[in-house]
Amino acid sequence: MRSRADPKGRRVLVTGASGNVGAPLVEHLVQAGADVRVASREGTRAPEGTTAVRFDFEDPSTHAPALKGVEKLFLMRPPAIADVKRHIRPVVLAAREAGVRHIVFLSLLGVEKNPVVPHAKVERFILEAGVPHTFLRPSFFMQNLSTTHRDDIREHDDIFVPAGHGRTSFIDTRDIAAVGARTLLEDGHEGKAYDLTGSEALTYAEVATLFTEELGRPIRYPAPSALRFAARWYQRRQPLAFIAVMTGIYTVCRLGLAGTVTRDTEQLLGRAPLSMRQFIRDHLACWKK
Ligand SMILES: NC(=O)c1ccc[n+]([C@@H]2O[C@H](COP(=O)([O-])OP(=O)(O)OC[C@H]3O[C@@H](n4cnc5c(N)ncnc54)[C@H](OP(=O)(O)O)[C@@H]3O)[C@@H](O)[C@H]2O)c1
């Protein structure tokens, strides 16, 4: 049985607090009355009702002070951190040392079948450290379309990803945050891994149709090859490692491996996950010319 332990005063450290999942998560925790520590590298920005904490995965001197007195840790791995043994494992160990009672880790859908991805290694570090944990394993974020791919949609009227005709079970990060808040504030989620997806799997052609309907101008999905995709990002002077990772990620979609739909999100939230149409409506301004 899950019980809703009194969240008031429960000290939670949120890493990646300004990020796609972290920002809405902080809002949920504040509303619930938790004592929220907002981790960031510069350590001064804090939404109302929270405390700013300086924390840098790459600066071990910030780990113990940030974790002092923390009961629950929301742990994410910043996309730019590739060497998780060097930069994330010490944080897991520092959390154990500080007496953290529960780590909720933002992992990746399918991680259990893919031991080479950094998230699989982080899950292993947490298991080895023996700290009670919950793994959130989400599918592709809808928010990739309002961040990484925003300029393609806004300026080129296209969704330019080499995903072929594969389906993707997109999830809105606001739903991941809502699940994250529940798992941090309620008892009973320890030792669990949740596969978080939206309620349907869409092709990018279908996503482009939704954009066309909601934005009121044609948005195309040209289904570019990996080579054309890499060329566009190379012209934007993006690092080759970033281009390679993105190409690899969309190859997973192209191969039809990103379409798994689960019911975990709905069961945990007691409502249907947010739809792609709703996501587009809520972010219309960011794709306006
Ligand atoms: N995008 C997807 O579709 C998807 C799907 C499944 C899983 N995931 C995983 O979800 C995670 C989050 O991805 P995202 O793209 O949404 O990232 P994000 O939240 O936008 O990442 C940015 C956050 O990372 C923090 N950060 C960056 N470097 C840091 C450092 N050295 N020390 C401390 N904090 C640092 C930033 O904090 P400050 O700048 O404030 O310091 C910021 O809050 C990743 O592990 C990703 O692999 C993503």
Tab-separated table of all heavy atoms in Angstrom, residues 18-79:
chain	number	residue	atom	x	y	z
A	18	SER	N	16.585	23.375	-13.550
A	18	SER	CA	16.108	24.324	-14.569
A	18	SER	C	15.782	23.593	-15.870
A	18	SER	O	15.447	24.225	-16.865
A	18	SER	CB	17.192	25.386	-14.833
A	18	SER	OG	18.369	24.757	-15.312
A	19	GLY	N	15.877	22.268	-15.856
A	19	GLY	CA	15.759	21.496	-17.092
A	19	GLY	C	14.329	21.120	-17.442
A	19	GLY	O	13.361	21.535	-16.790
A	20	ASN	N	14.198	20.283	-18.465
A	20	ASN	CA	12.891	19.914	-19.020
A	20	ASN	C	11.980	19.219	-18.013
A	20	ASN	O	10.771	19.429	-17.999
A	20	ASN	CB	13.092	18.983	-20.225
A	20	ASN	CG	13.580	19.739	-21.430
A	20	ASN	OD1	13.047	20.784	-21.773
A	20	ASN	ND2	14.617	19.220	-22.077
A	21	VAL	N	12.561	18.356	-17.199
A	21	VAL	CA	11.775	17.664	-16.171
A	21	VAL	C	11.908	18.403	-14.839
A	21	VAL	O	10.938	18.576	-14.097
A	21	VAL	CB	12.249	16.196	-16.013
A	21	VAL	CG1	11.511	15.510	-14.877
A	21	VAL	CG2	12.057	15.431	-17.318
A	22	GLY	N	13.127	18.875	-14.543
A	22	GLY	CA	13.395	19.497	-13.241
A	22	GLY	C	12.506	20.697	-12.947
A	22	GLY	O	11.983	20.837	-11.832
A	23	ALA	N	12.300	21.560	-13.945
A	23	ALA	CA	11.542	22.799	-13.687
A	23	ALA	C	10.092	22.512	-13.274
A	23	ALA	O	9.644	22.996	-12.226
A	23	ALA	CB	11.625	23.729	-14.888
A	24	PRO	N	9.352	21.698	-14.058
A	24	PRO	CA	7.983	21.396	-13.578
A	24	PRO	C	7.969	20.552	-12.310
A	24	PRO	O	7.042	20.661	-11.505
A	24	PRO	CB	7.341	20.653	-14.757
A	24	PRO	CG	8.454	20.236	-15.656
A	24	PRO	CD	9.588	21.176	-15.426
A	25	LEU	N	9.002	19.756	-12.093
A	25	LEU	CA	9.063	18.964	-10.857
A	25	LEU	C	9.150	19.882	-9.639
A	25	LEU	O	8.461	19.676	-8.637
A	25	LEU	CB	10.280	18.017	-10.902
A	25	LEU	CG	10.577	17.277	-9.603
A	25	LEU	CD1	9.436	16.320	-9.242
A	25	LEU	CD2	11.896	16.486	-9.720
A	26	VAL	N	9.995	20.905	-9.734
A	26	VAL	CA	10.146	21.846	-8.620
A	26	VAL	C	8.788	22.474	-8.285
A	26	VAL	O	8.415	22.589	-7.113
A	26	VAL	CB	11.201	22.925	-8.967
A	26	VAL	CG1	11.137	24.088	-7.982
A	26	VAL	CG2	12.601	22.312	-8.985
A	27	GLU	N	8.017	22.829	-9.331
A	27	GLU	CA	6.689	23.437	-9.088
A	27	GLU	C	5.793	22.490	-8.288
A	27	GLU	O	5.142	22.897	-7.328
A	27	GLU	CB	6.004	23.764	-10.416
A	27	GLU	CG	6.589	24.982	-11.102
A	27	GLU	CD	5.943	25.221	-12.473
A	27	GLU	OE1	4.790	24.794	-12.681
A	27	GLU	OE2	6.626	25.817	-13.328
A	28	HIS	N	5.778	21.209	-8.683
A	28	HIS	CA	4.952	20.227	-7.958
A	28	HIS	C	5.387	20.122	-6.502
A	28	HIS	O	4.556	20.062	-5.594
A	28	HIS	CB	5.088	18.840	-8.595
A	28	HIS	CG	4.268	18.650	-9.829
A	28	HIS	ND1	2.898	18.513	-9.808
A	28	HIS	CD2	4.628	18.581	-11.124
A	28	HIS	CE1	2.449	18.360	-11.038
A	28	HIS	NE2	3.484	18.403	-11.861
A	29	LEU	N	6.693	20.069	-6.290
A	29	LEU	CA	7.195	19.856	-4.924
A	29	LEU	C	6.876	21.056	-4.041
A	29	LEU	O	6.518	20.898	-2.867
A	29	LEU	CB	8.709	19.582	-4.965
A	29	LEU	CG	9.125	18.289	-5.680
A	29	LEU	CD1	10.649	18.198	-5.790
A	29	LEU	CD2	8.582	17.058	-4.941
A	30	VAL	N	7.016	22.260	-4.614
A	30	VAL	CA	6.715	23.480	-3.841
A	30	VAL	C	5.238	23.482	-3.453
A	30	VAL	O	4.879	23.736	-2.299
A	30	VAL	CB	7.084	24.748	-4.651
A	30	VAL	CG1	6.539	25.999	-3.977
A	30	VAL	CG2	8.597	24.848	-4.817
A	31	GLN	N	4.394	23.155	-4.441
A	31	GLN	CA	2.946	23.131	-4.158
A	31	GLN	C	2.608	22.161	-3.040
A	31	GLN	O	1.707	22.394	-2.254
A	31	GLN	CB	2.179	22.709	-5.410
A	31	GLN	CG	1.762	23.904	-6.265
A	31	GLN	CD	1.250	23.456	-7.622
A	31	GLN	OE1	0.789	22.334	-7.782
A	31	GLN	NE2	1.365	24.327	-8.599
A	32	ALA	N	3.375	21.060	-2.958
A	32	ALA	CA	3.100	20.049	-1.940
A	32	ALA	C	3.693	20.433	-0.585
A	32	ALA	O	3.473	19.737	0.407
A	32	ALA	CB	3.659	18.705	-2.392
A	33	GLY	N	4.460	21.512	-0.557
A	33	GLY	CA	5.000	21.977	0.723
A	33	GLY	C	6.330	21.360	1.111
A	33	GLY	O	6.747	21.446	2.276
A	34	ALA	N	7.017	20.738	0.152
A	34	ALA	CA	8.324	20.148	0.458
A	34	ALA	C	9.365	21.256	0.622
A	34	ALA	O	9.186	22.377	0.155
A	34	ALA	CB	8.732	19.197	-0.662
A	35	ASP	N	10.451	20.908	1.297
A	35	ASP	CA	11.586	21.824	1.466
A	35	ASP	C	12.514	21.570	0.269
A	35	ASP	O	13.309	20.642	0.269
A	35	ASP	CB	12.267	21.489	2.798
A	35	ASP	CG	13.580	22.241	2.990
A	35	ASP	OD1	13.917	23.088	2.147
A	35	ASP	OD2	14.263	21.951	3.989
A	36	VAL	N	12.352	22.389	-0.770
A	36	VAL	CA	13.004	22.088	-2.050
A	36	VAL	C	14.338	22.810	-2.181
A	36	VAL	O	14.402	24.034	-2.077
A	36	VAL	CB	12.095	22.477	-3.247
A	36	VAL	CG1	12.697	21.993	-4.555
A	36	VAL	CG2	10.695	21.935	-3.064
A	37	ARG	N	15.377	22.038	-2.409
A	37	ARG	CA	16.711	22.583	-2.704
A	37	ARG	C	16.924	22.499	-4.215
A	37	ARG	O	16.908	21.397	-4.778
A	37	ARG	CB	17.795	21.768	-1.990
A	37	ARG	CG	17.571	21.668	-0.484
A	37	ARG	CD	17.934	22.961	0.166
A	37	ARG	NE	17.112	23.252	1.311
A	37	ARG	CZ	17.578	23.647	2.485
A	37	ARG	NH1	18.869	23.752	2.680
A	37	ARG	NH2	16.743	23.952	3.455
A	38	VAL	N	17.113	23.654	-4.808
A	38	VAL	CA	17.214	23.751	-6.259
A	38	VAL	C	18.695	23.802	-6.653
A	38	VAL	O	19.379	24.783	-6.401
A	38	VAL	CB	16.460	25.020	-6.722
A	38	VAL	CG1	16.821	25.380	-8.138
A	38	VAL	CG2	14.969	24.810	-6.595
A	39	ALA	N	19.178	22.702	-7.250
A	39	ALA	CA	20.601	22.619	-7.579
A	39	ALA	C	20.880	23.251	-8.940
A	39	ALA	O	20.177	22.972	-9.915
A	39	ALA	CB	21.026	21.157	-7.599
A	40	SER	N	21.890	24.111	-8.989
A	40	SER	CA	22.354	24.615	-10.283
A	40	SER	C	23.830	24.949	-10.165
A	40	SER	O	24.343	25.125	-9.059
A	40	SER	CB	21.563	25.853	-10.713
A	40	SER	OG	21.892	26.941	-9.887
A	41	ARG	N	24.473	25.062	-11.322
A	41	ARG	CA	25.919	25.300	-11.283
A	41	ARG	C	26.251	26.666	-10.745
A	41	ARG	O	27.256	26.839	-10.082
A	41	ARG	CB	26.526	25.097	-12.678
A	41	ARG	CG	26.655	23.633	-13.037
A	41	ARG	CD	26.978	23.446	-14.484
A	41	ARG	NE	25.834	23.790	-15.327
A	41	ARG	CZ	25.808	23.679	-16.635
A	41	ARG	NH1	26.867	23.241	-17.259
A	41	ARG	NH2	24.728	23.996	-17.325
A	42	GLU	N	25.389	27.659	-11.020
A	42	GLU	CA	25.721	28.990	-10.492
A	42	GLU	C	25.164	29.199	-9.078
A	42	GLU	O	25.698	30.016	-8.329
A	42	GLU	CB	25.321	30.100	-11.469
A	42	GLU	CG	23.903	30.039	-11.991
A	42	GLU	CD	22.899	30.735	-11.091
A	42	GLU	OE1	23.269	31.757	-10.493
A	42	GLU	OE2	21.773	30.246	-10.980
A	43	GLY	N	24.159	28.441	-8.711
A	43	GLY	CA	23.754	28.366	-7.303
A	43	GLY	C	23.046	29.556	-6.707
A	43	GLY	O	22.994	29.682	-5.479
A	44	THR	N	22.472	30.422	-7.536
A	44	THR	CA	21.753	31.558	-6.951
A	44	THR	C	20.302	31.646	-7.403
A	44	THR	O	19.478	32.216	-6.697
A	44	THR	CB	22.441	32.907	-7.297
A	44	THR	OG1	22.600	32.974	-8.717
A	44	THR	CG2	23.784	33.044	-6.628
A	45	ARG	N	20.001	31.056	-8.580
A	45	ARG	CA	18.632	31.152	-9.088
A	45	ARG	C	17.739	30.174	-8.336
A	45	ARG	O	18.044	28.989	-8.249
A	45	ARG	CB	18.583	30.757	-10.560
A	45	ARG	CG	18.796	31.903	-11.523
A	45	ARG	CD	18.830	31.371	-12.947
A	45	ARG	NE	19.985	30.546	-13.196
A	45	ARG	CZ	19.947	29.333	-13.724
A	45	ARG	NH1	18.814	28.774	-14.043
A	45	ARG	NH2	21.051	28.638	-13.926
A	46	ALA	N	16.639	30.667	-7.755
A	46	ALA	CA	15.721	29.755	-7.072
A	46	ALA	C	14.301	30.287	-7.203
A	46	ALA	O	14.036	31.426	-6.832
A	46	ALA	CB	16.096	29.628	-5.603
A	47	PRO	N	13.378	29.476	-7.722
A	47	PRO	CA	11.986	29.926	-7.775
A	47	PRO	C	11.474	30.201	-6.357
A	47	PRO	O	12.031	29.683	-5.377
A	47	PRO	CB	11.249	28.738	-8.390
A	47	PRO	CG	12.291	27.877	-9.006
A	47	PRO	CD	13.567	28.125	-8.264
A	48	GLU	N	10.406	31.000	-6.290
A	48	GLU	CA	9.855	31.353	-4.984
A	48	GLU	C	9.527	30.092	-4.176
A	48	GLU	O	9.026	29.110	-4.731
A	48	GLU	CB	8.566	32.159	-5.202
A	48	GLU	CG	8.279	33.091	-4.051
A	48	GLU	CD	6.987	33.856	-4.293
A	48	GLU	OE1	6.734	34.245	-5.448
A	48	GLU	OE2	6.259	34.039	-3.304
A	49	GLY	N	9.864	30.118	-2.915
A	49	GLY	CA	9.527	28.988	-2.048
A	49	GLY	C	10.571	27.891	-2.055
A	49	GLY	O	10.356	26.821	-1.474
A	50	THR	N	11.719	28.132	-2.725
A	50	THR	CA	12.780	27.117	-2.751
A	50	THR	C	14.100	27.750	-2.289
A	50	THR	O	14.189	28.968	-2.140
A	50	THR	CB	13.001	26.552	-4.168
A	50	THR	OG1	13.561	27.598	-4.998
A	50	THR	CG2	11.714	26.065	-4.796
A	51	THR	N	15.087	26.910	-2.075
A	51	THR	CA	16.410	27.394	-1.687
A	51	THR	C	17.409	27.036	-2.774
A	51	THR	O	17.468	25.876	-3.207
A	51	THR	CB	16.860	26.719	-0.365
A	51	THR	OG1	15.826	26.914	0.611
A	51	THR	CG2	18.170	27.292	0.144
A	52	ALA	N	18.182	28.023	-3.220
A	52	ALA	CA	19.202	27.769	-4.255
A	52	ALA	C	20.429	27.108	-3.634
A	52	ALA	O	20.849	27.463	-2.532
A	52	ALA	CB	19.614	29.084	-4.902
A	53	VAL	N	20.964	26.141	-4.355
A	53	VAL	CA	22.151	25.432	-3.877
A	53	VAL	C	23.134	25.325	-5.038
A	53	VAL	O	22.745	24.967	-6.151
A	53	VAL	CB	21.773	24.000	-3.425
A	53	VAL	CG1	22.993	23.201	-3.051
A	53	VAL	CG2	20.795	24.039	-2.267
A	54	ARG	N	24.384	25.618	-4.778
A	54	ARG	CA	25.380	25.448	-5.835
A	54	ARG	C	25.740	23.971	-5.937
A	54	ARG	O	26.075	23.330	-4.922
A	54	ARG	CB	26.630	26.279	-5.529
A	54	ARG	CG	27.466	26.533	-6.783
A	54	ARG	CD	28.553	27.549	-6.517
A	54	ARG	NE	29.832	26.915	-6.205
A	54	ARG	CZ	30.580	26.254	-7.078
A	54	ARG	NH1	30.189	26.144	-8.331
A	54	ARG	NH2	31.724	25.711	-6.716
A	55	PHE	N	25.667	23.434	-7.138
A	55	PHE	CA	25.948	22.010	-7.332
A	55	PHE	C	26.416	21.799	-8.763
A	55	PHE	O	25.769	22.238	-9.710
A	55	PHE	CB	24.675	21.179	-7.093
A	55	PHE	CG	24.843	19.728	-7.428
A	55	PHE	CD1	25.386	18.842	-6.507
A	55	PHE	CD2	24.482	19.247	-8.685
A	55	PHE	CE1	25.570	17.509	-6.832
A	55	PHE	CE2	24.660	17.912	-9.016
A	55	PHE	CZ	25.200	17.054	-8.085
A	56	ASP	N	27.568	21.142	-8.880
A	56	ASP	CA	28.101	20.847	-10.213
A	56	ASP	C	28.593	19.403	-10.214
A	56	ASP	O	29.453	19.043	-9.406
A	56	ASP	CB	29.258	21.818	-10.527
A	56	ASP	CG	29.729	21.707	-11.975
A	56	ASP	OD1	29.480	20.666	-12.613
A	56	ASP	OD2	30.364	22.670	-12.449
A	57	PHE	N	28.018	18.576	-11.093
A	57	PHE	CA	28.465	17.181	-11.177
A	57	PHE	C	29.983	17.113	-11.361
A	57	PHE	O	30.628	16.185	-10.889
A	57	PHE	CB	27.776	16.469	-12.353
A	57	PHE	CG	26.346	16.084	-12.091
A	57	PHE	CD1	25.298	16.837	-12.607
A	57	PHE	CD2	26.031	14.973	-11.321
A	57	PHE	CE1	23.982	16.482	-12.373
A	57	PHE	CE2	24.725	14.607	-11.072
A	57	PHE	CZ	23.685	15.370	-11.600
A	58	GLU	N	30.529	18.114	-12.067
A	58	GLU	CA	31.961	18.073	-12.402
A	58	GLU	C	32.826	18.725	-11.335
A	58	GLU	O	34.037	18.834	-11.514
A	58	GLU	CB	32.177	18.738	-13.769
A	58	GLU	CG	31.417	18.008	-14.870
A	58	GLU	CD	31.698	18.562	-16.245
A	58	GLU	OE1	32.799	18.299	-16.749
A	58	GLU	OE2	30.821	19.244	-16.803
A	59	ASP	N	32.235	19.174	-10.237
A	59	ASP	CA	33.008	19.796	-9.155
A	59	ASP	C	32.659	19.096	-7.836
A	59	ASP	O	31.705	19.479	-7.137
A	59	ASP	CB	32.684	21.289	-9.086
A	59	ASP	CG	33.435	21.984	-7.952
A	59	ASP	OD1	34.174	21.293	-7.188
A	59	ASP	OD2	33.265	23.207	-7.808
A	60	PRO	N	33.426	18.054	-7.470
A	60	PRO	CA	33.091	17.251	-6.288
A	60	PRO	C	32.999	18.066	-4.997
A	60	PRO	O	32.305	17.651	-4.065
A	60	PRO	CB	34.245	16.243	-6.204
A	60	PRO	CG	34.869	16.230	-7.553
A	60	PRO	CD	34.629	17.571	-8.174
A	61	SER	N	33.651	19.233	-4.943
A	61	SER	CA	33.600	20.017	-3.702
A	61	SER	C	32.180	20.547	-3.441
A	61	SER	O	31.862	20.947	-2.324
A	61	SER	CB	34.592	21.187	-3.757
A	61	SER	OG	34.097	22.204	-4.607
A	62	THR	N	31.316	20.530	-4.455
A	62	THR	CA	29.943	21.039	-4.255
A	62	THR	C	28.980	19.938	-3.786
A	62	THR	O	27.864	20.245	-3.367
A	62	THR	CB	29.369	21.631	-5.578
A	62	THR	OG1	29.253	20.566	-6.562
A	62	THR	CG2	30.254	22.742	-6.134
A	63	HIS	N	29.411	18.659	-3.867
A	63	HIS	CA	28.455	17.563	-3.651
A	63	HIS	C	27.983	17.464	-2.197
A	63	HIS	O	26.772	17.504	-1.926
A	63	HIS	CB	29.054	16.230	-4.106
A	63	HIS	CG	29.403	16.203	-5.579
A	63	HIS	ND1	30.102	15.181	-6.163
A	63	HIS	CD2	29.142	17.094	-6.579
A	63	HIS	CE1	30.263	15.426	-7.459
A	63	HIS	NE2	29.696	16.588	-7.725
A	64	ALA	N	28.936	17.331	-1.264
A	64	ALA	CA	28.534	17.127	0.143
A	64	ALA	C	27.740	18.315	0.694
A	64	ALA	O	26.686	18.102	1.332
A	64	ALA	CB	29.767	16.823	1.001
A	65	PRO	N	28.173	19.575	0.465
A	65	PRO	CA	27.362	20.687	0.990
A	65	PRO	C	25.932	20.689	0.444
A	65	PRO	O	24.981	20.962	1.172
A	65	PRO	CB	28.132	21.941	0.523
A	65	PRO	CG	29.527	21.481	0.282
A	65	PRO	CD	29.424	20.045	-0.157
A	66	ALA	N	25.787	20.362	-0.847
A	66	ALA	CA	24.434	20.376	-1.436
A	66	ALA	C	23.562	19.270	-0.848
A	66	ALA	O	22.346	19.416	-0.741
A	66	ALA	CB	24.528	20.213	-2.952
A	67	LEU	N	24.184	18.153	-0.460
A	67	LEU	CA	23.416	16.989	0.005
A	67	LEU	C	23.168	16.988	1.510
A	67	LEU	O	22.451	16.124	2.027
A	67	LEU	CB	24.149	15.698	-0.402
A	67	LEU	CG	24.079	15.377	-1.897
A	67	LEU	CD1	25.206	14.433	-2.314
A	67	LEU	CD2	22.720	14.750	-2.223
A	68	LYS	N	23.728	17.955	2.215
A	68	LYS	CA	23.609	17.975	3.678
A	68	LYS	C	22.135	18.051	4.099
A	68	LYS	O	21.393	18.919	3.658
A	68	LYS	CB	24.365	19.197	4.219
A	68	LYS	CG	24.591	19.143	5.688
A	68	LYS	CD	25.727	20.060	6.107
A	68	LYS	CE	25.913	19.928	7.595
A	68	LYS	NZ	25.689	21.147	8.309
A	69	GLY	N	21.716	17.107	4.921
A	69	GLY	CA	20.345	17.124	5.451
A	69	GLY	C	19.276	16.713	4.455
A	69	GLY	O	18.084	16.788	4.757
A	70	VAL	N	19.698	16.258	3.267
A	70	VAL	CA	18.723	15.905	2.228
A	70	VAL	C	18.179	14.496	2.475
A	70	VAL	O	18.919	13.563	2.734
A	70	VAL	CB	19.383	16.000	0.822
A	70	VAL	CG1	18.513	15.346	-0.250
A	70	VAL	CG2	19.652	17.461	0.475
A	71	GLU	N	16.837	14.392	2.375
A	71	GLU	CA	16.188	13.104	2.596
A	71	GLU	C	15.988	12.366	1.268
A	71	GLU	O	16.125	11.158	1.182
A	71	GLU	CB	14.818	13.413	3.210
A	71	GLU	CG	14.219	12.312	4.022
A	71	GLU	CD	12.868	12.752	4.567
A	71	GLU	OE1	12.717	13.943	4.955
A	71	GLU	OE2	11.976	11.915	4.579
A	72	LYS	N	15.647	13.154	0.237
A	72	LYS	CA	15.327	12.572	-1.073
A	72	LYS	C	16.094	13.317	-2.160
A	72	LYS	O	16.176	14.546	-2.137
A	72	LYS	CB	13.836	12.727	-1.349
A	72	LYS	CG	12.956	12.051	-0.309
A	72	LYS	CD	12.098	11.024	-0.986
A	72	LYS	CE	11.467	10.076	0.001
A	72	LYS	NZ	10.718	9.036	-0.675
A	73	LEU	N	16.620	12.546	-3.127
A	73	LEU	CA	17.393	13.157	-4.217
A	73	LEU	C	16.747	12.834	-5.553
A	73	LEU	O	16.509	11.657	-5.874
A	73	LEU	CB	18.821	12.595	-4.190
A	73	LEU	CG	19.709	12.923	-5.394
A	73	LEU	CD1	19.975	14.432	-5.511
A	73	LEU	CD2	21.048	12.163	-5.296
A	74	PHE	N	16.453	13.887	-6.336
A	74	PHE	CA	16.069	13.670	-7.733
A	74	PHE	C	17.343	13.812	-8.544
A	74	PHE	O	17.944	14.893	-8.607
A	74	PHE	CB	15.016	14.677	-8.201
A	74	PHE	CG	14.654	14.487	-9.654
A	74	PHE	CD1	13.832	13.445	-10.052
A	74	PHE	CD2	15.169	15.332	-10.629
A	74	PHE	CE1	13.521	13.243	-11.399
A	74	PHE	CE2	14.858	15.139	-11.976
A	74	PHE	CZ	14.035	14.091	-12.358
A	75	LEU	N	17.760	12.711	-9.144
A	75	LEU	CA	19.032	12.679	-9.860
A	75	LEU	C	18.777	12.587	-11.362
A	75	LEU	O	18.013	11.739	-11.821
A	75	LEU	CB	19.833	11.460	-9.400
A	75	LEU	CG	21.203	11.253	-10.035
A	75	LEU	CD1	22.195	12.356	-9.613
A	75	LEU	CD2	21.772	9.883	-9.636
A	76	MET	N	19.403	13.497	-12.120
A	76	MET	CA	19.370	13.376	-13.573
A	76	MET	C	20.807	13.438	-14.067
A	76	MET	O	21.697	13.898	-13.349
A	76	MET	CB	18.506	14.463	-14.221
A	76	MET	CG	18.869	15.887	-13.899
A	76	MET	SD	20.209	16.567	-14.867
A	76	MET	CE	19.438	16.800	-16.445
A	77	ARG	N	20.994	12.942	-15.281
A	77	ARG	CA	22.328	13.002	-15.883
A	77	ARG	C	22.258	14.031	-17.010
A	77	ARG	O	21.540	13.835	-17.992
A	77	ARG	CB	22.703	11.623	-16.414
A	77	ARG	CG	23.857	11.626	-17.372
A	77	ARG	CD	23.514	10.824	-18.618
A	77	ARG	NE	24.347	11.207	-19.722
A	77	ARG	CZ	23.901	11.336	-20.967
A	77	ARG	NH1	22.644	11.148	-21.247
A	77	ARG	NH2	24.714	11.670	-21.928
A	78	PRO	N	22.981	15.157	-16.841
A	78	PRO	CA	22.949	16.153	-17.916
A	78	PRO	C	23.434	15.524	-19.218
A	78	PRO	O	24.402	14.752	-19.218
A	78	PRO	CB	23.930	17.228	-17.427
A	78	PRO	CG	23.994	17.052	-15.946
A	78	PRO	CD	23.825	15.577	-15.710
A	79	PRO	N	22.767	15.842	-20.338
A	79	PRO	CA	23.126	15.204	-21.612
A	79	PRO	C	24.604	15.354	-21.962
A	79	PRO	O	25.170	14.482	-22.615
A	79	PRO	CB	22.242	15.936	-22.629
A	79	PRO	CG	21.088	16.426	-21.830
A	79	PRO	CD	21.604	16.733	-20.466
